[in-house]
Amino acid sequence: MTALATLGHALPRIQPEDPGARLLLFGIRQLGANGLSDAAAAHAFVTGFGKSFRRPLLLLRALMAEMSAASSGPIQIAPWCCARMTGAEGALLDVIACAPFDPERARLLLADLLGARRVDGVLATAHALSNAFADAGLPLEA
């Protein structure tokens, strides 16, 4: 197997071009790797949202904590500098983006991602996070 095939298997998706989704992905990676109080993630949200940064950042922190508690196993994330995404990162972005518009799809994706049946609380936080991004001027593309 070539190195390119291995990379494509481990990181099957390219990062989205949508600025909101890119900021969200950076936040997920930073909080997942460095903990919920990561300063780089907070700085990125201040830069991206200005004075409206608190709500999206707080909801992302809550989502990460809830997912950590509800997940039946580890969720793979790539380093912040990686131009490609893991399957889990792509699924999580899809969950958050589609939660307000297609909650059943979001529920199925999230249940598969977490390996759990009861995901309503985590899904509610994902929905609120999607709304926070939209309200702050960076709506996520579904």
Side-chain angles (χ1 to χ4, degrees):
M1 186 178 284
T2 67
L4 186 57
T6 304
L7 179 64
H9 180 70
L11 302 166
R13 293 177 61 178
I14 296 175
Q15 275 192 20
E17 293 185 24
D18 173 46
R22 290 177 75 91
L23 177 60
L24 178 58
L25 179 61
F26 178 79
I28 290 167
R29 287 175 171 179
Q30 285 299 113
L31 297 181
N34 302 316
L36 298 179
S37 59
D38 182 69
H43 181 264
F45 274 55
V46 169
T47 303
F49 292 116
K51 290 187 249 180
S52 304
F53 80 97
R54 285 181 183 89
R55 183 173 155 224
L57 182 59
L58 176 69
L59 287 167
L60 178 57
R61 287 174 172 164
L63 179 68
M64 296 296 286
E66 290 174 2
M67 286 179 31
S68 178
S71 180
S72 64
I75 298 172
Q76 290 185 328
I77 57 171
W80 69 267
C81 58
C82 191
R84 299 185 64 88
M85 297 187 298
T86 67
E89 290 171 332
L92 183 55
L93 290 180
D94 290 345
V95 165
I96 296 167
C98 78
F101 309 106
D102 192 353
E104 286 307 312
R105 178 175 180 248
R107 175 180 274 100
L108 290 173
L109 285 170
L110 188 59
D112 187 48
L113 177 65
L114 298 179
R117 289 185 180 197
R118 296 183 180 182
V119 296
D120 291 335
V122 181
L123 184 58
T125 304
H127 186 170
L129 178 59
S130 181
N131 287 341
F133 265 72
D135 293 347
L138 286 175
L140 302 170
E141 296 177 2

